[in-house]
Amino acid sequence: KAGVTQTPRYLIKTRGQQVTLSCSPISGHRSVSWYQQTPGQGLQFLFEYFSETQRNKGNFPGRFSGRQFSNSRSEMNVSTLELGDSALYLCASRSALDSSYEQYFGPGTRLTVT
Amino acid sequence: GESVGLHLPTLSVQEGDNSIINCAYSNSASDYFIWYKQESGKGPQFIIDIRSNMDKRQGQRVTVLLNKTVKHLSLQIAATQPGDSAVYFCAENMGGAGDKIIFGKGTRLHILP
């Protein structure tokens, strides 16, 4: 079956703009998590959605938001972009309906803020 | 400004030898722990997980050990191969009912020919 897909793969934005990133989980997976990866901070948890509800949130400012649709696809939005938001944004999905905690990651969206 | 990269610890292992990657975690209440492998240009790949009520779990060529007393996790890779070259992350779930996966800083595994 198809893996986790993320669009777009690369994005260049200017400070102050906003951006929306999309994630399509593996078919049948209901949990989607988002992460930010930077050379300075490593992999940091942003939030997790399950059945259209945000279950957990990391320590990011309110400029970072997300949502999940009824088909489990998820989007994250970053408003008023700052230079420090330049990063690789990864999403991961898992079934969450069985005992496995195995998450499958997408290839990421590389966001550059200039 | 210039971003300072993480100084990842590096483990260099001879091909065919066993590798042991160590990790300290922070939250005594974390209910499960995971090891991931990340190759250059790719997203992390799940290797193995272990619940907090276990102290050892084995997979194909990998073993994870959990010591809750000292909050320590290790990943053992048997007969290390060139394809094992990657950055390895330990992670813990602090999310309770849901997922809140907190990653460690990572260890770069370098395989010597």
Side-chain angles (χ1 to χ4, degrees):
Chain A
K1 55 186 169 183
V4 177
T5 57
Q6 292 186 244
T7 56
R9 290 293 311 278
Y10 302 91
L11 204 48
I12 300 175
K13 290 285 189 179
T14 304
R15 273 181 300 176
Q17 288 187 315
Q18 74 164 15
V19 68
T20 299
L21 311 181
S22 181
C23 173
S24 292
I26 289 173
S27 178
H29 284 191
R30 293 170 64 182
S31 168
V32 175
S33 296
W34 287 90
Y35 300 85
Q36 181 196 65
Q37 187 171 28
T38 60
Q41 299 298 321
L43 266 160
Q44 293 186 283
F45 174 82
L46 280 156
F47 23 66
E48 185 236 1
Y49 286 87
F50 178 83
S51 291
E52 302 179 67
T53 300
Q54 186 183 90
R55 291 201 294 190
N56 281 290
K57 190 177 190 313
N59 297 324
F60 279 81
R63 300 185 297 107
F64 291 80
S65 63
R67 59 178 175 167
Q68 186 181 34
F69 302 95
S70 58
N71 61 358
S72 293
R73 191 177 70 84
S74 179
E75 289 181 346
M76 66 162 282
N77 184 277
V78 187
S79 63
T80 319
L81 284 165
E82 300 177 359
L83 293 179
D85 298 332
S86 293
L88 180 67
Y89 290 88
L90 292 156
C91 86
S93 75
R94 74 175 182 95
S95 171
L97 296 178
D98 56 26
S99 60
S100 170
Y101 288 95
E102 183 168 353
Q103 279 190 320
Y104 295 82
F105 279 80
T109 293
R110 173 75 62 185
L111 172 65
T112 302
V113 182
T114 62
Chain B
E2 183 181 86
S3 84
V4 178
L6 274 176
H7 174 66
L8 292 180
T10 298
L11 176 66
S12 294
V13 175
Q14 206 76 36
E15 182 179 346
D17 287 353
N18 296 336
S19 302
I20 300 177
I21 302 171
N22 296 302
C23 172
Y25 64 90
S26 59
N27 188 351
S28 301
S30 293
D31 58 356
Y32 69 91
F33 304 86
I34 316 108
W35 281 98
Y36 289 94
K37 170 186 179 182
Q38 187 174 27
E39 297 173 292
S40 182
K42 297 183 179 180
Q45 178 186 357
F46 173 94
I47 302 172
I48 191 168
D49 62 3
I50 186 168
R51 287 182 179 267
S52 59
N53 61 357
M54 302 171 68
D55 52 23
K56 180 179 179 179
R57 191 168 184 217
Q58 289 183 289
Q60 187 176 13
R61 276 203 311 122
V62 295
T63 301
V64 56
L65 299 177
L66 175 63
N67 184 330
K68 293 181 287 293
T69 303
V70 294
K71 292 193 282 188
H72 183 269
L73 198 62
S74 70
L75 177 71
Q76 302 177 5
I77 305 173
T80 310
Q81 303 169 357
D84 295 328
S85 288
V87 177
Y88 289 80
F89 295 95
C90 67
E92 59 186 304
N93 180 43
M94 296 187 184
D99 292 349
K100 185 174 182 179
I101 310 298
I102 305 302
F103 281 75
K105 298 299 184 186
T107 296
R108 188 178 304 280
L109 179 63
H110 178 59
I111 311 303
L112 302 168

